[in-house]
Amino acid sequence: MSNKMWGGRFVSGPDAIMEEINASIGFDYKFASQDIRGSLAHVAMLAEQGIIEREAAAAITKGLEQVRHEIEAGTFTFSRALEDIHMNVESRLADIVGPDAGRLHTARSRNDQVALDFRLWVRDTIDTLDEQLRELQKALAERALDHAGSVMPGFTHLQSAQPVTFGHHLMAYVEMLGRDRGRFGDARRRLNECPLGSAALAGTSFPINREMTAKALGFDRPTANSLDSVSDRDFVLETLSAAAISAVHLSRFAEEIVLWSTPQFGFANLSDKFTTGSSIMPQKRNPDAAELVRGKTGRVIGALTGLLIVMKGLPLAYSKDMQEDKEGTFDALQSLSLCVAAMTGMVRDLVPDLKKMKAAAGSGYAIATDLADWLVRALNMPFRDAHHVTGRLVAMAADRKIALEKLSLADMQSVDQRITAEVHDVLGVDKSVKSRVSYGGTAPANVRTQARAWLKKIAREEAGTK
Ligand code: ARG
């Protein structure tokens, strides 16, 4: 049988393999609610403009509500022969309403329909992700406030560099997530234009009102070029870029959790809620959730790369290649959402071993910079000379296998006789972090201020959305 939606010039139906490669209903059923929202706005506009009769519009509206109800109730039968969500909905509408259902597709095409549905879906998804990311920021800032004064080693090259606070480290991710949310917000602002009414590619001869449908669907305005409207997917690409960057941030944090929870680091423990055991090695407690957050980042980046490649050779306007825009995007954004939820759980679950962190913060001569800075401040040495003197002191302490602060004053004076007993005021990890009061530095007072400021901002946002 030829297709009942567009089979006018067709004699036979598609080959089985054609049906299989062509159908998108297996995944675009996810657009059901967006598709119906779009059709409701479209039919209301058609009636308002006198393009279809009010009675027909009323019947279509009622029919669409019923279809929505059937889909929500799980009683709707999706058919692969009907290709996609658009034709599945319309076909069922025809069963319910009769021939007047065919008037819904006036001044519209599946090309602007799918562009609309996808924009609505991405917009909804961005809103959910934003809330989730905010929740993760909140969990991080709350823990940062508790640990504003907990000392841990800060690393560069994964070598102990200078002491920092655990709170400061957590707040670094709050900043990253803030920018991630900003990127999603930017993508949302740019995508918030309505493509409906662009029809197949050239617009329509019917006297439609695109302002009206744009407004009804919560868009800022209609899109300005019909060719662009049906053929662009940069709103998806931008969203996937934001998702890929965010996933990379989560992945770096996940990697740190993996490292911290090794017996070798021993900085933090996850509870049974976020770990698994080994079927052969009884002693093991594996940070699988963190590993999976790190691992899933691959698919998110893959979806972005995949869609960039799908789009790069397509002439204007729509080509069926573009049907490949959906599955990777669904998977990527759903994966990111799962990762954010898992990270939020782990941040709340993580128990830092403050003793081990502090001991590690003091090892590896991590306070050497504090000593050099003191030489500059107290003795007015040029920093380069101070660096050299400190290097010799570190070598002396390392030679004796003792900490810097364990060197006697006489030992220190043997390297530079101007050194006084006051030097001991700066030698120590707590003293070190307390002294880093420059804006953005790790001093506990700074961390508290930053954490409180974020928590206040988040509370304001939460109150605004409720
Ligand atoms: N299922 C299609 C897609 O996802 C809808 C648009 C079909 N348009 C067309 N001209 N065949 O892209």
Side-chain angles (χ1 to χ4, degrees), residues 148-163:
S150 307
V151 177
M152 70 178 280
F155 299 94
T156 62
H157 313 266
L158 197 58
Q159 308 281 327
S160 277
Q162 292 173 350

Side-chain angles (χ1 to χ4, degrees), residues 358-379:
K358 189 165 183 174
S363 73
Y365 302 100
I367 54 168
T369 319
D370 297 274
L371 174 53
D373 286 351
W374 182 85
L375 295 171
V376 170
R377 257 196 328 268
L379 307 181

Side-chain angles (χ1 to χ4, degrees), residues 371 389 392-397 400 402-420 423-424:
L371 174 53
V389 169
R392 289 184 56 200
L393 289 168
V394 168
M396 181 188 277
R400 302 188 193 163
I402 56 170
L404 261 183
E405 57 269 40
K406 292 277 149 49
L407 287 176
S408 70
L409 186 58
D411 285 335
M412 292 203 193
Q413 286 172 337
S414 74
V415 173
D416 191 303
Q417 57 182 11
R418 290 170 293 171
I419 297 177
T420 65
V423 71
H424 281 103

